Amino acid sequence: MKKSLFIFLILLTILSCKDEAKKTETNTEVETETTVKYPSDVIPFMDKWKILLGDGTYVDSLVNYQKDDFFYVENDGQTDWVVYKTPNSGVTSRTSSNTRTELGEKAHWIPEEGGKLTGTLKVQHVSTTGHANVSSSFSVVIGQIHSDEGHENEPLKIFYKKFPGHTKGSVFWNYEINTEGDNSGRWDYSTAVWGYDFSVKGPDETTNPEEPKDGIALGEAFSYEVNVHKGIMYLTFTSEGHDTKTFTKSLIKSDFSTQEAIPQQIIDVYASRRTPGVEREIAYAGEINYFKQGAYNQANGKSTKSETYGGDIAKQYENGSYAEVWFKEATVGPSTDPNK
């Protein structure tokens, strides 16, 4: 009897151990399946930023933060990317009609002090609806310098734009003047990087211009570096298979402080809507600025006449009414001497 009882207890112990092993294995599998990779795991500078999402969500603590459908991590089979996604219509900032899922730098600086922003990205989608003869249709801003005082204009906006039916899109950058006097005469001067600049558009609402020959396709990676050093902005754009492009622009001495200095591009683009103004001679000197990065959708139902499905975000995502940008690398910090 004692022997039988002893054997029974041994068998019970063995079965119990096997059951515990199965539970442990199951728990490990559940933990593995539910582990979230956050944007801050991919690009670890998130502690330096706040974010506004396309549904109006504002967050100023981005370490171990993500939100499905707006700000999260995707893997393309080789690399983890931080996704910034935003609809054509949602909740946006007080100064804009355009939605964004976009980082805003917590630190602020004046141009004489400067700063540096880099990013390696690919644009996965831009709105497929809009009027072809409106310059901002089918485009997204992927990096900015934004003023935080005065007129709160933007010394830099980096765009990607692709017309529907085209394989290649354009990368260009805009400089918005820090207008002398009131801001009614403000305008953006646009410079092409690959493809067209901001001024190239269709002849009417439904007709596109020719496809750019040296453009960037959706899903094609490229990089930018914005280095503001001692008041001068140095821009560098690189992409495999494309010529590297560099530009220099003073942020403390205006190129556009007289009527005679207003470029023909501005007269052609703005003259029918407003009288182009001039810039104050010292441009953005001494004015507080900060960097922005992500997806600032330029399509909306008001100016570009893009489809918004009554603001229903799910329907917009289902039907191509959104912008989506993926970054795999990015940095922000002090400026560097471009001559070293």
Side-chain angles (χ1 to χ4, degrees):
M1 181 68 180
K2 289 182 178 178
K3 185 176 180 181
S4 298
L5 183 59
F6 180 72
I7 293 171
F8 174 77
L9 289 172
I10 290 174
L11 290 172
L12 189 62
T13 301
I14 292 170
L15 290 171
S16 178
C17 290
K18 286 184 177 179
D19 187 56
E20 286 300 319
K22 286 181 180 178
K23 286 182 180 178
T24 301
E25 184 179 356
T26 301
N27 288 341
T28 301
E29 288 174 357
V30 170
E31 286 177 10
T32 301
E33 289 174 1
T34 58
T35 298
V36 175
K37 182 166 282 189
Y38 296 100
S40 57
D41 296 324
V42 178
I43 303 178
F45 73 169
M46 293 298 173
D47 61 321
K48 301 181 185 301
W49 303 88
K50 54 191 176 181
I51 196 168
L52 179 64
L53 306 181
D55 65 349
T57 300
Y58 170 84
V59 181
D60 63 5
S61 181
L62 298 182
V63 176
N64 296 339
Y65 174 80
Q66 66 94 42
K67 186 169 185 179
D68 291 345
D69 296 327
F70 295 96
F71 179 63
Y72 54 95
V73 174
E74 283 281 4
N75 188 287
D76 63 2
Q78 296 181 318
T79 306
D80 287 329
W81 300 75
V82 177
V83 179
Y84 301 81
K85 187 174 181 180
T86 188
N88 289 357
S89 177
V91 180
T92 187
S93 68
R94 64 178 175 81
T95 58
S96 177
S97 300
N98 302 318
T99 72
R100 70 190 77 208
T101 293
E102 185 183 39
L103 302 174
E105 188 186 14
K106 292 179 179 179
H108 286 51
W109 41 268
I110 61 173
E112 295 89 334
E113 181 181 48
K116 186 174 182 179
L117 176 70
T118 71
T120 298
L121 69 142
K122 53 185 178 182
V123 178
Q124 298 290 77
H125 189 86
V126 292
S127 176
T128 54
T129 60
H131 285 180
N133 60 348
V134 178
S135 294
S136 52
S137 292
F138 322 118
S139 69
V140 60
V141 171
I142 54 178
Q144 293 190 65
I145 300 174
H146 203 294
S147 172
D148 199 36
E149 59 180 326
H151 299 311
E152 297 186 22
N153 289 346
E154 296 142 326
L156 176 69
K157 292 194 291 278
I158 302 173
F159 284 77
Y160 176 86
K161 175 175 179 174
K162 189 189 79 68
F163 287 91
H166 288 185
T167 300
K168 302 282 188 178
S170 298
V171 176
F172 53 88
W173 62 276
N174 284 11
Y175 173 83
E176 183 175 31
I177 64 168
N178 201 5
T179 321
E180 180 78 16
D182 68 35
N183 209 27
S184 60
R186 69 180 179 85
W187 44 264
D188 286 28
Y189 181 70
S190 186
T191 302
V193 179
W194 300 295
Y196 298 134
D197 63 39
F198 187 74
S199 67
V200 177
K201 54 188 179 181
D204 55 54
E205 295 176 1
T206 59
T207 305
N208 297 331
E210 290 186 7
E211 183 168 335
K213 293 181 172 58
D214 61 338
I216 298 282
L218 290 174
E220 185 176 359
F222 61 97
S223 300
Y224 64 72
E225 177 184 285
V226 182
N227 183 29
V228 179
H229 187 72
K230 295 183 178 180
I232 309 300
M233 179 172 67
Y234 301 89
L235 302 177
T236 304
F237 296 87
T238 57
S239 181
E240 185 176 348
H242 298 269
D243 292 339
T244 295
K245 299 293 183 70
T246 60
F247 307 91
T248 303
K249 175 78 179 74
S250 175
L251 300 186
I252 58 176
K253 181 175 172 52
S254 177
D255 298 318
F256 310 115
S257 60
T258 66
Q259 286 290 330
E260 293 74 23
I262 296 176
Q264 187 62 42
Q265 178 195 102
I266 303 307
I267 296 170
D268 294 342
V269 171
Y270 288 91
S272 63
R273 291 179 284 160
R274 68 179 74 136
T275 301
V278 297
E279 185 172 38
R280 65 177 194 162
E281 290 187 3
I282 60 171
Y284 289 87
E287 192 161 296
I288 294 172
N289 287 266
Y290 60 100
F291 288 121
K292 306 190 84 173
Q293 186 175 82
Y296 179 24
N297 192 356
Q298 299 299 289
N300 60 65
K302 183 180 178 181
S303 60
T304 65
K305 309 302 180 185
S306 302
E307 183 58 66
T308 63
Y309 297 91
D312 187 317
I313 292 176
K315 284 186 177 180
Q316 290 179 80
Y317 284 175
E318 289 170 8
N319 293 282
S321 293
Y322 65 94
E324 183 174 337
V325 183
W326 293 17
F327 281 82
K328 69 174 180 179
E329 295 173 353
T331 64
V332 68
S335 70
T336 56
D337 188 337
N339 298 314
K340 292 184 178 179

